[in-house]
Amino acid sequence: MVISRKPLHVIAAIAIAILPLFSFANVSNDSVKKESHEVHATADAHHEVTAEPQDKKAKVDAYIQHHLQDSYDFTFFSDEKEGKHYGFSLPVILIDNGLKIFSSSKFHHGETVAEVDGNYYKLYHGKIYKTDAAGTINYDEHHHPTNAKPLDFSITKNVVSMLFASALLLLMFVGLAKSYKKGPIPTGFGRVLEPLILFIRDEIAIPNIGEKKYRKFMGYLLTVFFLIWLLNLLGMTPLGINVTGNIAVTICLALFTYIITQFSANKDYWMHIFWMPGVPVPMKIILMPIEILGTLTKPFALLIRLFANITAGHVVIMSLIAMIFVGKNLAADLPISLGLTLFISIIEVLVAFLQAFIFTMLSSLFIGMAVQDHHHDDHH
């Protein structure tokens, strides 16, 4: 049975381009309420004409911000007219004079104040603040909230996404390990994983770390590569997931690389930092703070590269789709918007792999620099 005469890769490309539209078409009502400018019914006809595009632009801005931010619930789509949200709430876990656990549905997407054991909490711009029954938020002169914030250990959308990706990785690699017990050639999905694992071993780990020491770090390199890649791909779905575009996550990943690098470092590595061999003593003293700073700039480059590339990709795709909603001429804007979105979405699939590869490559390079034996002669 022939499904279509068009080549499969063309169908796949079109599907990738259309995917974000499902997400964008259902602008979350709570974001719009917070960010969009109201168009008053009493305004004159001229004011209404000028206010409508502004209102659309504000909705688009609000949606992009909402997509990039973490949230306390999964909203698949919203009915703007009825003010209904379709999705599911996640557990909120706070430490505030004891443990407070409740569902995020108590916030009603930031519209109401949640009361728990006589305490009142309000969701404001994606953060939970302590407040009163009326939901009062106090501000300083810079319009920043001054209300106290409880310690927040909630299971947010990003946490659920990471747990899901981790469970998926566990299933894939446990399945691969079991298939090796049956024979030298893996079966099923293991056939897809094996070339990637061999690629990381032969093209990343061995050249950068060395044949003698690479095995010790393979577990970390494989984990970080597949986790970032999987989370990047999940970020392209209409679920509004943006884990690797969250700077807290990229800081954490870079911190792991930094800790592994420093704790695995040998005597030569530390000597090159604190007392550079083969250079005059005054230069050794000058180079020491520069080298110490260098150990910190490496993980910083890792975290900023991943965060900035993924965030930029999301903003560009959402902005291109926004042309359909903001533009006045739908017939002209729709093909341009879809064409550009298709182009950027295909690039994003490549970037999803490329950013995982670069992070793993640089991590192995930094580890390799720390564990390799340096042969130098102090007499020169």
Side-chain angles (χ1 to χ4, degrees):
M1 182 182 172
V2 179
I3 296 168
S4 170
R5 292 184 184 277
K6 288 190 182 292
L8 191 62
H9 63 270
V10 174
I11 297 166
I14 293 164
I16 289 165
I18 293 169
L19 262 180
L21 275 171
F22 294 116
S23 179
F24 205 96
N26 302 301
V27 177
S28 183
N29 201 32
D30 56 315
S31 312
V32 173
K33 278 187 178 180
K34 288 175 195 169
E35 305 290 342
S36 65
H37 303 292
E38 286 182 311
V39 182
H40 297 286
T42 54
D44 55 72
H46 173 73
H47 182 70
E48 277 188 24
V49 169
T50 54
E52 194 183 355
Q54 281 296 106
D55 194 48
K56 278 185 180 179
K57 284 174 187 174
K59 284 183 181 184
V60 168
D61 287 344
Y63 181 74
I64 292 171
Q65 285 296 321
H66 185 73
H67 174 83
L68 293 175
Q69 287 173 352
D70 197 4
S71 67
Y72 292 90
D73 49 45
F74 264 102
T75 304
F76 298 121
F77 58 93
S78 305
D79 189 333
E80 209 177 318
K81 287 177 184 175
E82 292 186 23
K84 287 184 178 178
H85 307 274
Y86 298 91
F88 59 89
S89 302
L90 297 168
V92 176
I93 304 163
L94 305 175
I95 294 178
D96 180 34
N97 296 325
L99 191 66
K100 308 279 191 290
I101 302 172
F102 58 97
S103 171
S104 64
S105 60
K106 281 199 171 193
F107 291 122
H108 290 283
H109 304 273
E111 292 161 24
T112 58
V113 176
E115 193 212 336
V116 186
D117 301 333
N119 294 305
Y120 296 94
Y121 302 103
K122 184 174 175 66
L123 188 63
Y124 182 76
H125 287 299
K127 292 185 175 74
I128 295 171
Y129 294 92
K130 286 188 77 172
T131 183
D132 52 22
T136 309
I137 298 286
N138 301 310
Y139 303 95
D140 60 16
E141 63 271 17
H142 303 294
H143 204 71
H144 296 143
T146 55
N147 294 46
K149 284 193 290 185
L151 275 174
D152 194 351
F153 293 94
S154 304
I155 310 291
T156 60
K157 186 166 68 173
N158 282 356
V159 175
V160 171
S161 307
M162 282 190 282
L163 290 171
F164 173 72
S166 304
L168 213 58
L169 287 180
L170 202 63
L171 283 170
M172 290 193 305
F173 283 100
V174 167
L176 180 64
K178 282 181 180 176
S179 71
Y180 274 122
K181 289 178 182 176
K182 296 172 187 174
I185 299 167
T187 54
F189 192 70
R191 289 183 183 181
V192 178
L193 290 175
E194 190 187 44
L196 287 165
I197 292 165
L198 293 176
F199 169 76
I200 292 163
R201 186 192 72 181
D202 299 336
E203 303 298 325
I204 298 175
I206 293 174
N208 290 319
I209 301 170
E211 208 149 346
K212 290 179 183 176
K213 298 180 180 179
Y214 83 93
R215 279 188 68 85
K216 185 181 171 185
F217 305 101
M218 268 299 284
Y220 173 69
L221 295 175
L222 285 171
T223 303
V224 84
F225 173 80
F226 282 100
L227 183 69
I228 292 171
W229 191 25
L230 201 57
L231 288 171
N232 287 351
L233 290 175
L234 281 173
M236 295 195 68
T237 63
L239 296 171
I241 294 165
N242 183 37
V243 180
T244 44
N246 185 322
I247 199 157
V249 175
T250 62
I251 285 171
C252 198
L253 288 168
L255 209 57
F256 275 119
T257 296
Y258 179 75
I259 291 164
I260 289 168
T261 304
Q262 305 314 313
F263 279 89
S264 305
N266 58 20
K267 191 173 69 179
D268 282 339
Y269 174 79
W270 293 115
M271 191 184 286
H272 274 77
I273 289 171
F274 291 106
W275 207 245
M276 181 74 75
V279 296
V281 172
M283 283 303 293
K284 288 182 181 189
I285 295 162
I286 293 165
L287 284 169
M288 194 193 301
I290 297 167
E291 288 294 322
I292 292 166
L293 190 67
T295 63
L296 299 170
T297 55
K298 286 167 188 171
F300 182 76
L302 269 182
L303 73 93
I304 290 294
R305 183 181 277 107
L306 180 60
F307 162 74
N309 277 286
I310 300 304
T311 303
H314 282 276
V315 171
V316 169
I317 287 175
M318 293 293 162
S319 303
L320 288 171
I321 296 167
M323 285 171 66
I324 302 167
F325 300 94
V326 176
K328 292 176 182 176
N329 188 348
L330 187 66
D333 291 336
L334 187 65
I336 297 167
S337 178
L338 277 178
L340 288 170
T341 306
L342 170 65
F343 175 68
I344 296 292
S345 295
I346 292 165
I347 288 173
E348 275 291 284
V349 172
L350 176 65
V351 168
F353 175 83
L354 202 61
Q355 286 308 313
F357 167 74
I358 289 169
F359 194 99
T360 313
M361 182 72 153
L362 291 175
S363 293
S364 69
L365 191 67
F366 300 154
I367 292 164
M369 287 162 69
V371 301
Q372 278 171 7
D373 297 314
H374 300 273
H375 299 287
H376 48 76
D377 189 356
D378 286 320
H379 297 295
H380 286 297

